[in-house]
Amino acid sequence: MPVKNRFAELLPEITEWRRDIHENPEILFETHRTSALVAEKLKEFGCDEIVTGIGRTGVVGVIKGKSDSSGKVIGLRADMDALPMNEETGLPYASKTPNAMHACGHDGHTAMLLGAAKYLAETRNFDGNVVVIFQPAEEGGGGGKEMCDDGMMDRWNIQEVYGMHNWPGKPVGSFAIRSGAFFAATDVFEVTVNGRGGHGAKPQETIDPTVTAAQVVTMLQTIASRNADPVENIVVSVTSIESSSKAFNVIPQSVHLKGTVRTMSPEIRDLAESRLTAIAEQVCAAMGGSAEVRYQRNYPVMVNHPEQTEFAVEVAKAVSGDCEEAPLVMGGEDFAFMLEERPGAYILVGNGDSASVHHPEYNFNDETIPAGCSWWAEIVERRMPAA
């Protein structure tokens, strides 16, 4: 089964939806316009149930098959939110909202799932129910967790759940996936290094937090190089260093560090948190100062379930002829919360030769739409074949 002909026919219409969403990006849970557009389209398609306000601004639609002898329910999820950055594509449908841009392709994900929903509502060639899930706040807000916390999985008896993300650099419409740990846990930390400030010409009278902070930054790299097993995947990055003084001749009272930790297992996540805290506190103490450490666990490791991954590969091969094994990704993905509640799988679909995601010149490739829609539709029709 190659790309379904119906999606080639629908491509201009789905592209129009996608570009409208792209032009009107919304951040985190503020996806009010996008959510309303999604709910309106689902109503037009004839979905059997449409519920808004799940996970604050999430939208859920239910499509019933021609029969329901199987009792199966499959969830399909797309994210809707944009990033807080300015677009530099120069496209005619570029963002009209300052400091908001669909730089990760969530506009494409939403449009593709809408396309799949339209087709499934037209044909209903399956035995069971489909729940289409449109999620806000993937980019750091944990919208997936909030939808789960609102009881989404139990309310609609979702038994399996599938998600998709476009991937720049892969040929348009090709697929890649891996079983098990796939996307990293994403934690953040802040360290306030406290010392004693003074004149820049009299360092002997101070406890210099700048020099201390420099030692902390260097020592934090030993978590990966000397504490973690070399075969484990871990990233510790200090991404911001800010002094309490901006003067050239003042040694500040304090220096504030921010950063992120990415890990692929609970054990290494625990190790990273404990070692980061100990290093910061003890290095600062050795230098005569002190440290205040805040470590926050955000998205967990996203883990694809083996059986559902194997099935996702089968469908991807049917659509595109092939499905590669994807590399580990040290970025985060809050679909992890849904995969903690139900078995399922998350796949990558090629976006072609485009700028990378989170880049101001990124744009979702509309030629990807037929393959993405076909994969979602075929997941349903193969997993719940018509009686």
Side-chain angles (χ1 to χ4, degrees):
M1 195 285 302
V3 167
K4 290 182 181 292
N5 291 335
R6 180 63 175 136
F7 293 120
E9 297 168 2
L10 288 172
L11 179 56
E13 184 178 4
I14 300 172
T15 297
E16 185 178 334
W17 304 337
R18 201 282 293 184
R19 294 184 179 186
D20 176 69
I21 296 168
H22 186 94
E23 194 172 356
N24 297 278
E26 296 172 301
I27 306 298
L28 293 173
F29 291 98
E30 301 303 313
T31 58
H32 303 291
R33 182 187 185 277
T34 309
S35 298
L37 172 67
V38 166
E40 177 188 343
K41 292 298 179 188
L42 296 179
K43 184 177 180 181
E44 285 179 17
F45 304 159
C47 287
D48 298 284
E49 183 181 0
I50 303 159
V51 179
T52 60
I54 305 296
R56 297 198 230 178
T57 47
V59 182
V60 171
V62 178
I63 306 168
K64 296 180 179 179
K66 289 179 179 177
S67 57
D68 189 18
S69 62
S70 70
K72 290 183 179 178
V73 183
I74 286 179
L76 308 176
R77 173 271 200 177
D79 35 20
M80 300 186 291
D81 59 319
L83 283 156
M85 57 188 288
N86 288 309
E87 183 166 350
E88 298 177 7
T89 62
L91 292 165
Y93 53 86
S95 170
K96 297 189 296 186
T97 306
N99 199 36
M101 176 193 174
H102 272 292
C104 204
H106 297 185
D107 52 340
H109 304 162
T110 297
M112 288 192 294
L113 187 52
L114 282 174
K118 179 167 184 171
Y119 167 85
L120 292 167
E122 287 175 351
T123 59
R124 299 182 184 261
N125 190 32
F126 55 93
D127 180 40
N129 291 336
V130 177
V131 178
V132 286
I133 302 162
F134 295 87
Q135 180 209 305
E138 192 283 320
E139 296 290 358
K145 183 178 188 302
E146 295 222 10
M147 293 190 84
C148 290
D149 288 348
D150 271 358
M152 175 181 70
M153 296 298 185
D154 290 336
R155 179 171 174 176
W156 284 284
N157 191 32
I158 297 169
Q159 296 158 15
E160 295 182 353
V161 63
Y162 295 87
M164 184 191 312
H165 202 294
N166 77 95
W167 209 249
K170 276 193 64 57
V172 171
S174 64
F175 292 93
I177 197 172
R178 69 181 298 119
S179 185
F182 192 177
F183 279 59
T186 61
D187 300 338
V188 297
F189 64 87
E190 296 181 66
V191 178
T192 301
V193 179
N194 297 307
R196 184 173 65 243
H199 199 293
K202 297 181 178 181
Q204 75 279 7
E205 297 177 0
T206 72
I207 298 173
D208 191 339
T210 307
V211 174
T212 303
Q215 298 298 319
V216 172
V217 171
T218 300
M219 288 297 293
L220 290 181
Q221 301 312 304
T222 65
I223 298 172
S225 68
R226 288 297 176 267
N227 298 141
D229 188 320
V231 303
E232 296 284 354
N233 298 88
I234 177 172
V235 175
V236 180
S237 292
V238 177
T239 56
S240 173
I241 304 174
E242 189 172 39
S243 164
S244 62
S245 169
K246 299 295 183 277
F248 287 97
N249 59 350
V250 173
I251 291 173
Q253 285 281 98
S254 64
V255 172
H256 191 66
L257 308 176
K258 290 182 181 179
T260 186
V261 176
R262 307 298 173 100
T263 53
M264 280 289 182
S265 73
E267 296 77 17
I268 296 299
R269 195 181 199 185
D270 291 342
L271 171 72
E273 180 175 1
S274 64
R275 289 303 300 143
L276 186 145
T277 302
I279 287 170
E281 291 177 347
Q282 293 172 26
V283 168
C284 289
M287 300 289 283
S290 65
E292 300 168 38
V293 181
R294 185 180 75 88
Y295 193 99
Q296 178 179 324
R297 295 191 175 205
N298 288 335
Y299 300 170
V301 179
M302 191 191 74
V303 181
N304 272 344
H305 296 249
E307 179 190 339
Q308 286 71 27
T309 302
E310 184 178 346
F311 173 63
V313 169
E314 173 192 321
V315 173
K317 287 181 176 179
V319 172
S320 72
D322 193 19
C323 184
E324 296 179 349
E325 181 172 0
L328 289 169
V329 179
M330 298 310 284
E333 170 53 65
D334 85 340
F335 190 62
F337 293 111
M338 296 189 189
L339 289 177
E340 285 188 334
E341 295 230 350
R342 294 294 189 272
Y346 189 78
I347 200 166
L348 307 179
V349 61
N351 199 58
D353 186 18
S354 71
S356 65
V357 293
H358 294 222
H359 189 281
E361 295 180 3
Y362 167 85
N363 184 40
F364 179 84
N365 190 333
D366 293 317
E367 296 304 313
T368 298
I369 289 171
C373 292
S374 294
W375 184 80
W376 261 321
E378 192 69 4
I379 285 282
V380 172
E381 292 180 346
R382 287 191 179 222
R383 203 61 162 171
M384 303 187 295

